Amino acid sequence: MSNHYSLMIHGGAGALQHIQAEGSEEDFAQSMYGILEQGRLKLQQGAPALDVVEHCVSLLEDDPLYNAGRGSVLNEYGEVEMDAAIMDGQDLAAGSVAGIKNIKNPISLARLVLKKSEHVMLIGHGAMEFAELWGVECLPDDYFIIESRIKQFQEAEKAGKMMLDHEDIEQEPQRKFGTVGATAFDLEGNLAAATSTGGIVNKRWGRVGDSPIIGAGVFADNDTCAVSATGYGEQFMRTVLAKMISDCIHFQSLAAPQAAQAGIEYLVAKVKGLGGVIVIDAKGRCGAGHSTSGMIYGWIEHGGESHFQLT
Ligand code: ASP
């Protein structure tokens, strides 16, 4: 057993000059710090990485500052429709849900898919039936829908377009992707990753992004790394970015910071991708990269102090 644990969490990437709509930098700092320290406590007590990423992501989902769980963006019907996935680096076990509604913590439903079903991914109506079978907590629409999201949705509807979280209609390049995620390395040396999102504003036709797609928005393998992504989902799906970062480590023995950088360079070179990733490698080293002007994330490397980036 090693003495070290590491933890990373993120609250989305983008142009964060416009985050005031949801909260101040101080609000994000407090939220990130509180969640990282709760994760640290669990890791210090010997909790498995899988439990810790589920716990941290469920706290991020409960916080309306982010585009996941409560505070998710609205789809074309003005509803919240969420996606989430979780992966265990020990045995590559994975669980994922897409197009679900009214589930308080989508990441815990994804964990149940991993644990209790013989499948990896459940969607829509079937996923809701599975949730009912296991008595998963459901809440009414008004728990999820917050004032600032209604305004954002009305702007997108008026402009007749699909928007990314906090894309500014007047200034096209200003975008914020408020998806959340966590990666952890526990005292036993196991890695895990989790990602959860409301997707993009005014999304249509049952659109699903990268967040619940294993290998695109989330990946974990004890031999390489744990990855959680945020950004323009279609671009992460087309580049299978989380798995690509794992492959960089597998084939080139890169450390987490270099692998994160290589992944973002590939995303930009291939599809001019916009977004970011958090990565912990099999030695517990932390790395992050983003092609957007900013990204909200925090980390604890090898049991040290917690650090943040909020712009
Ligand atoms: N990746 C998410 C999606 O495309 C959006 C985000 O990161 O905010 O659904």
Side-chain angles (χ1 to χ4, degrees), residues 67 177-179 197 199 207 209-211 230-231 233:
N67 172 20
F177 311 88
T179 288
T197 189
R207 181 267 185 193
D210 61 313
S211 309
T230 170

Side-chain angles (χ1 to χ4, degrees), residues 84-290:
I86 188 163
M87 187 160 184
D88 187 347
Q90 267 189 93
D91 55 0
L92 308 196
S96 153
V97 289
I100 56 161
K101 291 179 189 157
N102 300 97
I103 301 290
K104 179 174 175 281
N105 291 111
I107 200 64
S108 298
L109 183 57
R111 174 86 189 263
L112 271 175
V113 173
L114 180 158
K115 236 184 350 194
K116 303 284 189 196
S117 81
E118 67 225 47
H119 307 297
V120 169
M121 185 172 199
L122 301 180
I123 64 161
H125 185 68
M128 299 300 293
E129 262 184 42
F130 176 80
E132 202 183 321
L133 183 72
W134 290 100
V136 170
E137 187 175 6
C138 281
L139 290 171
D141 293 345
D142 58 9
Y143 166 79
F144 296 89
I145 300 177
I146 61 166
E147 200 57 43
S148 56
R149 296 301 189 198
I150 298 175
K151 197 168 153 265
Q152 180 188 45
F153 168 64
Q154 285 166 345
E155 279 173 19
E157 227 190 357
K158 210 164 77 191
K161 59 187 275 198
M162 265 181 265
M163 270 170 55
L164 297 146
D165 182 17
H166 279 256
E167 181 177 351
D168 185 327
I169 287 190
E170 302 292 314
Q171 292 162 286
E172 194 67 32
Q174 304 294 348
R175 294 173 173 181
K176 176 177 171 288
F177 311 88
T179 288
V180 304
T183 53
F185 174 74
D186 66 25
L187 294 180
E188 306 275 347
N190 291 314
L191 287 164
T195 308
S196 181
T197 189
I200 61 174
V201 187
N202 202 19
K203 63 185 180 182
R204 308 171 70 186
W205 304 313
R207 181 267 185 193
V208 172
D210 61 313
S211 309
I213 307 293
I214 306 304
V218 67
F219 194 73
D221 178 347
N222 274 7
D223 291 334
T224 56
C225 63
V227 182
S228 173
T230 170
Y232 204 115
E234 283 70 6
Q235 297 162 342
F236 283 74
M237 291 156 92
R238 289 162 59 207
T239 51
V240 200
L241 203 81
K243 178 63 161 64
M244 188 272 169
I245 289 173
S246 167
D247 285 348
C248 281
I249 294 180
H250 181 81
F251 293 109
Q252 297 173 33
S253 308
L254 299 188
Q258 288 73 38
Q261 201 45 43
I264 293 299
E265 280 168 17
Y266 180 77
L267 178 77
V268 172
K270 286 287 171 185
V271 296
K272 297 191 178 66
L274 276 174
V277 289
I278 54 170
V279 184
I280 302 181
D281 68 27
K283 292 188 174 150
R285 293 171 295 204
C286 296
H290 51 93

